[in-house]
């Protein structure tokens, strides 16, 4: 509930106008005071008297209508959000090949899909498990979508163990099967649990153990972590769809919207779409 005081003048101003007024007010007072001061001080300096006048006018304005400050903060937050989104888009473009064209990445859905969704996930992450059924439903409903899975084990040694098992399972063509099993798992992915889940999906455990110790598996995990860092991903899950970075367990409507936007951009010949190989 909005608890800010709103005076009669504030209610008549368009959205954002009060924030602009606050900036213009201080600038206007300063500019008005400057001509008289130029003869006795260097350009750009403000005397204590001028500063006091500016502060007084601003204090009066904020006392009469505190929503000026609220709108200024909102405008600043919006500007910062746009800057973050712009930086994310630039990073996605710079790392496009690593995101969507790495042939070693496990894929769900249509391997040749026109739209690519990239998921950075931790095998122990509760929010990743919450998101998994939504992603599966999106893949069922959209046969032109491919889901690239990027192991990002950030929740401790058990997560690293599970990611090593997943990447080793890829060598037996069982990554997706084990991934789905771990997304349903509600306990910890200890070695006995991994062995049980691996056996349930037809994985050769002895071979899996051997492959888990391959340095290439560790390098794969490190590469994913470095890519996530380059994209300034702070946690899991995190999705890249088109030129958008979507942190957290997004709902289906948000996923559908991002996929539709990417599909539209692709149809128009845009350069931001990340689908296909």
């Amino acid at each position: 509930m909005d608890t800010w005081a709103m005076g009669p003048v504030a209610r008549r101003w368009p959205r954002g106008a009060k924030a602009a007024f606050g900036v213009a007010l201080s600038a206007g007072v300063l500019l008005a005071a400057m001509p008289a001061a130029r003869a006795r001080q260097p350009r750009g300096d403000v005397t204590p008297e001028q500063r006091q006048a500016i502060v007084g006018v601003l204090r009066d304005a904020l006392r009469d209508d505190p929503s000026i400050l609220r709108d200024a903060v909102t405008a600043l937050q919006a500007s910062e959000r746009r800057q973050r989104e712009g930086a994310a888009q630039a990073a996605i473009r710079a790392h496009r090949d690593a995101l969507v064209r790495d042939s070693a990445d496990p894929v769900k859905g249509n391997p040749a899909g026109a739209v690519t969704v990239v998921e950075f996930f931790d095998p122990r992450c509760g929010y990743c498990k919450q998101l998994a059924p939504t992603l599966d439903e999106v893949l069922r409903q959209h046969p032109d979508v491919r889901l690239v899975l990027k192991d990002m084990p950030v929740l401790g040694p058990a997560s690293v163990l599970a990611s090593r098992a997943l990447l080793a399972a890829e060598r037996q063509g069982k990554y997706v099967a084990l991934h789905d099993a771990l997304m349903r798992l509600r306990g910890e992915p200890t070695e006995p649990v991994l062995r049980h889940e691996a056996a349930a999906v037809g994985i050769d455990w002895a071979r899996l153990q051997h492959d888990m110790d391959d340095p290439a598996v560790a390098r794969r995990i490190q590469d994913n972590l470095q890519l996530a860092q380059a994209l300034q991903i702070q946690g899991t899950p995190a999705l890249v769809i088109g030129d958008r970075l979507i942190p957290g367990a997004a709902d289906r409507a948000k996923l559908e919207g991002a996929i539709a936007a990417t599909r539209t951009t692709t149809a128009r010949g845009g350069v931001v779409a990340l689908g296909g190989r």
Side-chain angles (χ1 to χ4, degrees):
M1 181 176 178
D2 190 352
T3 58
W4 287 85
M6 296 283 287
V9 174
R11 283 193 288 265
R12 291 197 300 269
W13 288 356
R15 182 177 179 83
K18 294 185 291 299
F21 169 76
V23 176
L25 183 62
S26 58
V29 171
L30 176 59
L31 291 173
M34 285 303 297
R38 284 175 182 158
R40 60 179 183 274
Q41 64 186 32
R43 175 184 290 270
D45 289 348
V46 179
T47 67
E49 293 79 10
Q50 292 167 348
R51 178 180 177 83
Q52 184 177 1
I54 294 170
V55 171
V57 172
L58 291 175
R59 183 183 294 115
D60 291 343
L62 290 173
R63 183 183 60 244
D64 293 341
D65 184 3
S67 64
I68 293 174
L69 180 59
R70 180 194 61 189
D71 283 358
V73 171
T74 299
L76 178 61
Q77 291 172 337
S79 175
E80 291 175 344
R81 183 175 62 253
R82 288 191 296 271
Q83 290 177 357
R84 288 195 301 270
E85 291 172 351
Q89 290 174 358
I92 289 169
R93 293 188 180 101
H95 297 279
R96 179 177 301 172
D97 286 348
L99 280 166
V100 304
R101 298 192 178 96
D102 190 332
S103 60
D105 279 334
V107 173
K108 292 183 71 173
N110 181 355
V115 178
T116 297
V117 175
V118 182
E119 181 191 13
F120 290 82
F121 76 99
D122 184 300
R124 296 174 60 225
C125 167
Y127 293 108
C128 301
K129 295 174 188 285
Q130 175 185 324
L131 178 62
T134 302
L135 287 172
D136 286 343
E137 182 61 25
V138 167
L139 293 177
R140 282 192 291 270
Q141 294 296 320
H142 299 281
D144 65 335
V145 173
R146 62 192 287 263
L147 172 63
V148 172
L149 295 164
K150 297 277 193 183
D151 287 82
M152 182 181 165
V154 293
L155 297 179
S159 294
V160 175
L161 180 68
S163 286
R164 287 170 53 215
L166 281 169
L167 292 169
E170 177 73 358
R171 302 183 181 187
Q172 298 184 45
K174 296 290 186 177
Y175 182 102
V176 171
L178 186 58
H179 167 273
D180 290 352
L182 293 183
M183 289 297 100
R184 294 189 296 266
L185 183 67
R186 291 299 174 259
E188 288 294 306
T190 61
E191 186 167 316
V193 169
L194 288 172
R195 182 170 186 170
H196 176 270
E197 297 296 336
V201 297
I203 292 175
D204 182 327
W205 177 250
R207 179 182 170 189
L208 187 78
Q209 283 186 302
H210 177 269
D211 290 339
M212 286 171 64
D213 292 333
D214 189 329
V217 169
R219 286 196 298 271
R220 189 89 189 148
I221 292 173
Q222 188 61 33
D223 287 346
N224 287 345
L225 292 171
Q226 290 177 348
L227 179 58
Q229 184 178 24
L231 298 176
Q232 298 187 18
I233 292 174
Q234 303 297 320
T236 57
L239 301 172
V240 176
I241 306 177
D243 66 344
R244 292 183 61 187
L245 174 62
I246 304 176
D251 59 28
R252 182 169 174 179
K254 192 168 189 177
L255 296 177
E256 297 272 7
I259 289 170
T262 300
R263 190 181 290 118
T264 299
T265 303
T266 304
R268 292 175 178 173
V271 297
V272 300
L274 301 182
R277 287 180 181 264

